Amino acid sequence: MERQPEGVVRSPTETVREAQRLLDAGMPFHAHEVFEDAWKSGPEASAPLWRGLAQLAVGLTHAARGNAVGGARLLRRGADGIEGLRADPYGIDVPGLVRWARELAGRVEAAGPAVDAAREAPRLGGGSRSGS
């Protein structure tokens, strides 16, 4: 699958919208690239948020590819990176994403086989769809 163009500068709202579209389509690695662009092109103060979200997306990528150990590790690293940030920067549900990531990491480790990336995709602005 073709990669996202790199180095695209988007507003935070555009970043969240595009990343959500890609997550919903089962393309978490592409969402990771969108978050990475925001992390590298945005203000330093926002870098921890975008870096943590990029780690969550690449963690979901690994989990979807059947790499349970790497997926769980990156999901937890991303959750640790965003935990304690403002609860709703740019409308992002940080506490909900932390819960989603930790819950999915536990399930990935316990179950082992690959997860469906689209089905497991989090809702960036409204908590997770996990378990529904």
Side-chain angles (χ1 to χ4, degrees):
M1 186 173 283
E2 194 169 321
R3 292 176 63 123
Q4 284 289 105
E6 291 185 38
V8 177
V9 177
R10 298 174 182 87
S11 72
T13 300
E14 291 168 331
T15 295
V16 172
R17 187 179 314 126
E18 179 63 4
Q20 187 69 68
R21 183 186 72 77
L22 293 164
L23 288 166
D24 291 345
M27 300 168 66
F29 187 79
H30 294 76
H32 151 267
E33 291 176 326
V34 169
F35 290 134
E36 195 169 75
D37 284 341
W39 161 20
K40 293 179 178 179
S41 69
E44 184 64 30
S46 296
L49 172 69
W50 302 124
R51 182 176 45 247
L53 293 174
Q55 289 169 330
L56 293 179
V58 83
L60 179 56
T61 299
H62 280 282
R65 293 178 180 170
N67 177 358
V69 172
R73 183 177 298 136
L74 282 161
L75 286 163
R76 287 191 180 103
R77 186 178 302 155
D80 290 346
I82 65 172
E83 187 172 43
L85 297 179
R86 239 184 34 187
D88 64 347
Y90 313 117
I92 297 169
D93 178 12
V94 171
L97 287 172
V98 169
R99 283 189 303 275
W100 166 83
R102 293 202 170 123
E103 187 272 333
L104 181 58
R107 282 194 295 118
V108 165
E109 282 179 328
V115 300
D116 181 314
R119 200 183 111 207
E120 296 293 345
R123 297 298 309 163
L124 299 173
S128 75
R129 291 187 296 214
S130 179
S132 43

